[in-house]
Amino acid sequence: MTTSERRRLRLVCRGVVQGVGFRPAVHRLASSLGLGGFVFNGPEGVVVEVEGPDETTRAFAERLPRSLPPLARIDEMETATVEPTGETVFAVLASQEGRRRRALVPPDAAICPDCRADMEDPGNRRHNYPFTTCTNCGPRFTLVHTLPYDRERTSMACFPLCPSCRSEYEETTDRRFHAEPVCCPACGPRLWLQDQGTGHRAQGTEALREAREALERGVIVAVKGFGGFQLACRADDEAVVAQLRECKRRPTKPFAVMVRDLATARRLVALEPEDEALLASPRAPVLLAPRHPGSGVAPGVAPGLADLGVMLPTTPLHVELFRGAGFDVLVMTSGNVSDEPICRGNREALARLGSIADLFLLHDRDVVRRADDSVVRTGPGGPALVRLGRGYVPEALPLPVAAPHPVLALGPFLQVTVCLAVGEEAFCSQHVGDLDSEPARRFLAEAARGLEEFLEATGELVVVDPHPDYPSTWLGTELARDRGARLLAVQHHLAHAAAVLAEHGRFPEPGQAAAAVALDGTGWGPDGVAWGGEWLLLDGELGWRRLASLEPLPLVGGEAAVREPWRVAAAALVKAGAAELLPRLPMAGQVSPDNLALVAELAGQAGWPRATGAGRVFEAAGALLGLAPVNGYEGEAAARLEALAAGASGPVGTWPEVRLSDDGPLPSAALLAEAAQRRVAGEDAALVAAGFHATFCRLAVELTEKVVPAGVRVVALGGGCLVNRFLRRGLGEQLAARGYEPLLPVRLPAGDGGLSYGQAVVGVVAAARGVEPQLKGAH
């Protein structure tokens, strides 16, 4: 063949293309077609050049996107014809360094079936080895220091490959070709069991055996996972669960459980086929699903809730913990004291978890980035994210317009994540959590710095919440000042709206508008009221209006009313003229008569902060029914209310007694008073809870029809209340039936864990279109 008959193509592939077996897949395809050329990791992505007959090179380019390994994804592929060189052999070249345009590693991936089979095979040198991995599974984001993703830039750099592993690593046809975490018992990390007193107790398989036996006896064991430490104990032992709660200072917030296999998961919770597929996928999140009665899980694991969070073993170490064990289910919760970050290093865990765990299952592979397990909830329309972490971070999210320069967004106060927008995409960090403690605030700074270092981009516009007392706002102000960057404050519920619209690619263009209903607990309102039940209109130039809201309710006692929703319930009944019902409600037996009378008296006085938060209303309903007069964690009373409603039997209708006024907000006080009246009259509590949800949805949809301008059909539904299945289904289905296009959060948490993305979206639009967020009209 003459040179003129040959063709050489250069392809630059961007997306999830490093650390996923992409180069071996390219090599296999090119070699099978008899093409020459090369492939390497570069700063702009994975660069491929193939040479051969014109028809064959075209076939290569056409078949490549369909020939990828499980974790790889091509988002963009540039193709150009270059001068042929006569190459006939295809080679994998060394990575090239430099400032990256865009080339990602995937999130950490749960153990794959092939590696699990290796561990089950007595003749395999990785039999029962707790660090077995390949290009299709294992740690990535929590392992790598910098890109390009090569072994010397990961925490595996200090483990030289043995000859056998070296052979696999260099063999292009092997599934461990350039699997950076690859290792075996001869050359990989070492495992040991340690206690607080005598130190080392056992190593290797003996450490696993002793840890397994300790768990069987009811001992709490700290286990080092992909992204940090987890605390494990038997899930069927109420005494050890109670001990874990006391030591962790987590009185009622639910624990997740890890199950031996999918059959055990089916025994515990109700799963659809798509739920099972997600559990067994590389993402392997904690999945919140309705639990079956009589599952054998201790009541203290998820008190008062209808859901149970389940996950499968995600690492080879977890697989080995269950091997031959006398248990099928373990509590597997974050290795921290409540409101602090998950522990990352061995010394840190021994120091911080010493008062909680009896034993520590440790190893010497460093965790570079701490990352909790992701949490997903089943529901109408399929599973939706509740918490971002392992399996989902880092992943690219769409932007309505390319960022002219990097935009860093730092979230609000609760459930915080960081988001960095670069080019045409945004990237959220792992879950940071609530910023109540100094360690959590340090983690926020660590996550922001880590995301910028990982993406090799420094935010030139820093976006914060306008609340002046949020530590995230303080950090953003400090960063902007120190680096000479611009600072932008974006209203809380505007950010919720932007997040949902952008996730679905429906953020309005200039000259267009979209509506949003934002339902959550609290967000700083420009009028001095704590917002949280908001109907908004947003246009493509970032002009926005508050169309309507929930009725403001007094927070008697200020912040105490957020922690103690019985106060909101009492104040609402006073406002509705139904104070006589208070002593007859279930919560009257849980709150002292003097306190109840005092709050009722004070509720009629002026000067208390007011709140329109939907979260406050649902918590108040849970409190007046006696479910949780005091929240043990954010939203507990509302979560218990939803669980109670899920158990309602018989037809559930809306309450015609509660109606919208001609020009008023959604009548929260009247809605709560009706719930109280029905319960006092003897209506079943579950039916009251279900009717409360149904009536709220009817009122919210009627209010949407009333205030959203004609011609605006897109309605984004966001805020933490949209985790609730009744609200997702009721609002989504009823709005769709009325001709609207409702958008629900799926790829990001509905609550404040997704808010940094919305902040970044507004920041990018502001920078790209040369506009500022502007509140129009009265609020």
Side-chain angles (χ1 to χ4, degrees), residues 401-474:
V401 62
H405 46 252
V407 175
L408 177 68
L410 294 171
F413 182 79
L414 299 176
Q415 304 169 24
V416 172
T417 60
V418 177
C419 186
L420 183 62
V422 182
E424 297 177 349
E425 293 167 328
F427 300 86
C428 281
S429 76
Q430 67 274 45
H431 173 77
V432 172
D434 301 348
L435 302 180
D436 295 289
S437 68
E438 188 56 37
R441 296 165 192 171
R442 288 197 298 268
F443 183 26
L444 174 64
E446 174 188 312
R449 182 174 60 252
L451 197 59
E452 289 186 320
E453 289 174 352
F454 184 72
L455 295 171
E456 296 180 353
T458 300
E460 298 176 26
L461 170 63
V462 180
V463 187
V464 297
D465 192 281
H467 198 300
D469 295 329
Y470 283 178
S472 55
T473 303
W474 304 341

Side-chain angles (χ1 to χ4, degrees), residues 303-503:
L305 301 182
D307 275 12
L308 183 65
V310 299
M311 61 176 158
L312 294 177
T314 55
T315 74
L317 180 55
H318 293 131
V319 171
E320 292 305 313
L321 272 181
F322 280 96
R323 190 179 299 281
F327 48 77
D328 291 327
V329 188
L330 290 173
V331 167
M332 195 67 70
T333 188
S334 304
N336 58 3
V337 177
S338 286
D339 299 324
E340 291 188 0
I342 186 173
C343 290
R344 182 165 60 100
N346 294 344
R347 293 176 182 172
E348 178 189 7
L350 289 166
R352 287 175 51 201
L353 304 180
S355 62
I356 303 175
D358 305 292
L359 294 173
F360 293 78
L361 195 55
L362 306 174
H363 58 75
D364 53 359
R365 182 178 69 195
D366 289 341
V367 175
V368 175
R369 291 179 178 82
R370 64 187 92 220
D372 258 312
D373 295 310
S374 291
V375 180
V376 173
R377 196 177 195 203
T378 66
L385 263 168
V386 176
R387 185 175 77 184
L388 275 167
R390 174 196 50 77
Y392 287 83
V393 174
E395 283 199 339
L397 295 161
L399 289 170
V401 62
H405 46 252
V407 175
L408 177 68
L410 294 171
F413 182 79
L414 299 176
Q415 304 169 24
V416 172
T417 60
V418 177
C419 186
L420 183 62
V422 182
E424 297 177 349
E425 293 167 328
F427 300 86
C428 281
S429 76
Q430 67 274 45
H431 173 77
V432 172
D434 301 348
L435 302 180
D436 295 289
S437 68
E438 188 56 37
R441 296 165 192 171
R442 288 197 298 268
F443 183 26
L444 174 64
E446 174 188 312
R449 182 174 60 252
L451 197 59
E452 289 186 320
E453 289 174 352
F454 184 72
L455 295 171
E456 296 180 353
T458 300
E460 298 176 26
L461 170 63
V462 180
V463 187
V464 297
D465 192 281
H467 198 300
D469 295 329
Y470 283 178
S472 55
T473 303
W474 304 341
L475 176 62
T477 303
E478 179 183 332
L479 289 176
R481 182 187 65 240
D482 291 348
R483 63 180 57 167
R486 180 179 160 218
L487 184 70
L488 177 67
V490 173
Q491 200 278 331
H492 191 96
H493 301 95
L494 176 62
H496 272 311
V500 180
L501 291 167
E503 176 188 338

Side-chain angles (χ1 to χ4, degrees), residues 740-754:
Y740 291 99
E741 182 185 351
L743 305 177
L744 286 161
V746 176
R747 294 180 60 191
L748 283 164
D752 286 357

